[in-house]
Amino acid sequence: MGKNWWKESVVYQIYPRSFQDSNHDGIGDLAGILTRLDYLKKLGIDVVWLCPVYDSPNVDNGYDIRDYKEILDTFGTMEDFDRLLEGLHSRGMKLLMDLVVNHTSDQHEWFQQALQSRDNPYHDYYIWQDGTTDKLPNNWESHFSGSAWEYVPHLGQYYLHIFAKQQPDLNWKNPKVREAVKDICRFWLGKGVDGFRMDTMNFYSKVDGFPSVEGVEGLVRAHRFYQNGPHIHEYLKELHRDVLSLYNGMTVGETPNVTPEIAKLYTGDGRDEVNMLFQFEHMSVDSGPKDKWDLIPWDFVKFKKIMSKWQTSLHGCGWNSLYLSNHDQPRPLGRFADDSVYRVESAKLLGTMTHTMEGTPYIYQGEELGMVNVRFSDISNYRDVQTLNLYADLSAKGVSHREIMRKVYTKGRDNARTPMQWSGERYGGFSDTEPWIELNPSYLEINAAQQEEDPNSVLHYYRKLIRLRRQYPVMVYGDFVDCLPEDPARYAYRRTLEGEKLFVLLNFKDRPADFYQPEDMDPSRWQLLLSNYPADSDPCGPLRPCEARVFYQKEASL
Ligand code: GLC
Ligand code: CA
């Protein structure tokens, strides 16, 4: 497999609503992002992935698009967008747009037309089933609670919505839908954007006949009937052939429920589909079979096995995305390490892992500061449609406030959506007025201004990580060996590329652990590249709580 710019890049994800407000309305906007480009440049990232900024009624914060070729007025204008793109390009950074084409908003012109009558030319842009109010087409549950079908009385039909009822699924079987998607892609690529993050990409093709899941009571997530469906590869190849292949862009598909075998079908060399996926196996270690709210303790050894399996399975035949957080996930520190006593060490530990594996690392805004989850006591402080629907659904079923909030505190999406913590000033430097969602009170202690001053901060450490990736090709392209797969506390792995060796030793526990030395490496010849503790002790001494060390060794040239 060849070298590519997108393999060597580090991506930074921006959730525009919460990044930087510039016009005093408490909502982040494009002009606000523009004022922070130097911050991003200094961080060292190569690519920005911008969550949706298109015109939208914002039932799902922009993932419900009303017009794919307009900018949401709250975020600014197309001129602001052009300035942002130019600002990124002139600083040597690229821009990925979020392509949300599994569904549109119910306010999109196509859906409004589709609602008019069964023979409207746009009716077939969506997915319909005949029926009556008293009988749902099947037992599929929406990801945002309740049935995945909504009845339209004057048509005598249900439409499918895997997400909110204001997000009707598009009918990809209709060639006109596929042409419309290509047209959207051409529009943005024509403007000079550098690629797409493809929202719920493996949902485009649904199984024929919309069968119910057998043997269950009530509604269930019917993943196998609409993820990795029968025509998905055809559709992606067509999009690649007709549009994506004509640009040197980058594509990353969001794909829950994929194995490495399935991932190779999407990303393999010569498959001509997309460059890489966001797989979710490691994000599922702390949930039971029902859904993400089904909380279970996670198992560190299992987690490592998943990470390592993806490393070795795709080496030489696919490409990984490396991430632990995004706008849909809780903050990772409390989840995978420690967000209290060892918060700083944990943030550096997890960052070390995502930047020293094979794949493209993704940093979600605030991760580079070690931001943590939020706990609002009242549900009225929450904004996320998924969280609010869950609360209504479970309350109606008699589940206690306390029990629901435990789920929300652990997995709710607003954990990641509180405003960016730029400084300790009022409203955290995000805005000068009350923001659309409250700040996490931790901004007084955790913020970019304070970390800029502190050379031992998470922010400075992330800059170092990104710099090292650029300097050492073994960090990008080296192969991967898990040295201690069964170890209950340490993750130890080795990477090799043409005589260069990297050894990464991570103590995931909040207590000391023994050092470990791989047999084929020589402490007298290796160099400690990086550690998340001050370098005042023996590099081969015992590991301190949540300690990370990265060693590098180059074979003498023959
Ligand atoms: C993806 C997005 C999420 C959104 C959903 C529906 O999972 O990341 O934020 O709610 O798709 O578009
Ligand atoms: Ca604003």
Side-chain angles (χ1 to χ4, degrees):
M1 283 198 97
K3 298 192 167 179
N4 287 101
W5 65 264
W6 43 265
K7 293 181 178 170
E8 293 164 21
S9 293
V10 174
V11 183
Y12 187 91
Q13 182 191 353
I14 292 183
Y15 196 68
R17 185 160 286 272
S18 300
F19 194 63
Q20 178 68 60
D21 176 24
S22 74
N23 63 345
H24 328 290
D25 64 356
I27 303 176
D29 45 56
L30 295 176
I33 300 173
L34 197 61
T35 66
R36 297 295 185 182
L37 294 187
D38 290 326
Y39 170 86
L40 297 178
K41 183 68 196 167
K42 193 163 179 198
L43 182 56
I45 57 105
D46 306 279
V47 179
V48 166
W49 152 24
L50 189 61
C51 284
V53 291
Y54 316 98
D55 180 43
S56 161
N58 290 309
V59 169
D60 188 18
N61 286 354
Y63 283 91
D64 47 324
I65 298 173
R66 183 164 48 202
D67 188 336
Y68 289 90
K69 297 183 185 174
E70 287 287 347
I71 298 294
L72 176 71
D73 48 15
T74 323
F75 287 159
T77 61
M78 195 58 89
E79 288 66 50
D80 293 328
F81 176 83
D82 293 339
R83 266 194 289 278
L84 177 61
L85 183 59
E86 159 60 24
L88 283 163
H89 284 168
S90 65
R91 288 170 179 81
M93 294 182 282
K94 297 187 191 304
L95 181 64
L96 284 190
M97 296 296 273
D98 215 311
L99 183 67
V100 188
V101 289
N102 173 67
H103 44 265
T104 67
S105 159
D106 61 344
Q107 293 188 29
H108 194 288
E109 176 63 18
W110 303 336
F111 193 69
Q112 288 301 311
Q113 291 277 342
L115 281 177
Q116 309 252 311
S117 72
R118 289 185 180 215
D119 39 63
N120 185 286
Y122 289 95
H123 188 263
D124 195 33
Y125 271 46
Y126 296 88
I127 299 174
W128 302 92
Q129 286 284 284
D130 292 348
T132 50
T133 34
D134 54 346
K135 192 167 182 307
L136 290 165
N138 62 29
N139 62 1
W140 296 5
E141 182 186 38
S142 148
H143 287 226
F144 293 169
S145 302
S147 168
W149 298 92
E150 181 72 10
Y151 193 61
V152 181
H154 69 270
L155 295 177
Q157 288 184 310
Y158 284 89
Y159 66 85
L160 178 68
H161 61 90
I162 302 289
F163 296 93
K165 65 170 187 255
Q166 298 90 342
Q167 293 168 297
D169 281 56
L170 282 164
N171 175 20
W172 275 70
K173 277 189 147 181
N174 181 348
K176 290 197 187 126
V177 166
R178 305 203 296 276
E179 286 310 316
V181 168
K182 290 176 205 167
D183 177 58
I184 295 166
C185 293
R186 286 189 195 105
F187 177 83
W188 291 100
L189 290 166
K191 272 187 163 293
V193 311
D194 304 283
F196 299 107
R197 175 266 185 185
M198 297 163 74
D199 188 70
T200 53
M201 184 191 81
N202 60 337
F203 290 51
Y204 299 165
S205 169
K206 277 82 176 170
V207 160
D208 281 333
F210 309 105
S212 271
V213 179
E214 297 295 331
V216 285
E217 291 253 321
L219 299 171
V220 286
R221 301 284 178 90
H223 300 142
R224 68 173 185 279
F225 295 134
Y226 55 78
Q227 290 172 350
N228 311 309
H231 302 287
I232 185 67
H233 297 293
E234 260 165 64
Y235 298 157
L236 292 172
K237 283 181 198 307
E238 182 182 323
L239 189 60
H240 183 270
R241 181 196 68 208
D242 292 353
V243 186
L244 302 174
S245 62
L246 309 178
Y247 300 81
N248 180 27
M250 151 177 177
T251 44
V252 49
E254 186 203 24
T255 55
N257 294 304
V258 293
T259 59
E261 293 316 309
I262 298 176
K264 283 184 215 171
L265 301 176
Y266 288 112
T267 66
D269 238 5
R271 291 286 302 171
D272 293 336
E273 297 190 12
V274 294
N275 297 142
M276 63 187 108
L277 303 181
F278 289 121
Q279 60 85 14
F280 282 74
E281 233 187 315
H282 64 307
M283 289 282 129
S284 316
V285 288
D286 53 1
S287 32
K290 192 179 172 318
D291 54 31
K292 75 172 192 181
W293 306 112
D294 183 5
L295 309 179
I296 59 166
W298 69 291
D299 176 348
F300 174 64
V301 171
K302 187 174 160 202
F303 173 81
K304 284 196 298 181
K305 286 192 175 164
I306 294 171
M307 297 303 289
S308 300
K309 174 183 74 181
W310 279 89
Q311 286 291 294
T312 49
S313 312
L314 295 195
H315 183 71
C317 58
W319 194 253
N320 276 293
S321 301
L322 306 167
Y323 78 100
L324 292 176
S325 58
N326 63 37
H327 65 295
D328 295 327
Q329 299 293 333
R331 295 282 177 181
L333 305 190
R335 191 176 185 188
F336 300 115
D338 174 60
D339 63 359
S340 54
V341 181
Y342 298 106
R343 182 187 65 82
V344 172
E345 290 78 7
S346 293
K348 296 175 181 175
L349 171 92
L350 298 180
T352 306
M353 182 180 79
T354 48
H355 287 77
T356 55
M357 287 189 160
E358 185 177 83
T360 299
Y362 288 76
I363 301 170
Y364 177 66
Q365 67 184 43
E367 178 188 321
E368 78 280 19
L369 306 175
M371 277 176 64
V372 294
N373 281 348
V374 73
R375 298 165 77 93
F376 297 130
S377 56
D378 202 297
I379 192 67
S380 66
N381 292 116
Y382 286 86
R383 300 286 174 266
D384 168 30
V385 60
Q386 186 183 39
T387 300
L388 297 174
N389 286 1
L390 176 88
Y391 193 89
D393 187 37
L394 295 187
S395 306
K397 290 179 179 147
V399 182
S400 70
H401 173 79
R402 199 157 158 265
E403 188 49 31
I404 307 176
M405 293 318 275
R406 195 171 75 90
K407 295 182 189 294
V408 172
Y409 294 158
T410 317
K411 286 290 183 72
R413 303 197 297 182
D414 282 338
N415 280 309
R417 298 178 179 185
T418 59
M420 182 68 179
Q421 297 171 189
W422 294 108
S423 74
E425 288 164 63
R426 192 149 185 239
Y427 304 126
F430 163 71
S431 179
D432 53 12
T433 187
E434 199 180 325
W436 69 280
I437 186 171
E438 264 179 55
L439 276 120
N440 186 323
S442 66
Y443 77 92
L444 293 169
E445 181 205 339
I446 307 171
N447 62 66
Q450 178 268 326
Q451 296 196 22
E452 183 61 53
E453 301 304 312
D454 173 7
N456 291 317
S457 65
V458 182
L459 179 61
H460 279 262
Y461 191 87
Y462 263 73
R463 287 181 188 151
K464 244 183 274 174
L465 274 174
I466 297 169
R467 220 173 32 239
L468 286 174
R469 250 187 104 81
R470 216 178 298 281
Q471 236 173 310
Y472 295 91
V474 62
M475 278 171 99
V476 178
Y477 293 111
D479 67 6
F480 177 96
V481 178
D482 188 342
C483 309
L484 299 170
E486 304 297 334
D487 192 277
R490 296 167 298 176
Y491 198 3
Y493 50 88
R494 219 160 26 73
R495 316 240 350 245
T496 310
L497 180 77
E498 295 158 5
E500 281 188 277
K501 287 181 180 171
L502 195 76
F503 172 54
V504 181
L505 184 57
L506 309 169
N507 175 15
F508 267 71
K509 302 292 162 175
D510 58 1
R511 48 182 185 273
D514 288 341
F515 187 71
Y516 168 82
Q517 184 204 317
E519 277 163 22
D520 65 335
M521 287 186 79
D522 175 2
S524 70
R525 293 195 14 242
W526 70 22
Q527 172 197 354
L528 180 65
L529 275 190
L530 188 67
S531 154
N532 62 348
Y533 273 83
D536 54 2
S537 63
D538 175 9
C540 300
L543 298 167
R544 288 158 286 190
C546 300
E547 180 157 7
R549 286 182 209 158
V550 180
F551 297 93
Y552 173 77
Q553 180 181 325
K554 198 175 168 71
E555 301 301 311
S557 49
L558 300 172

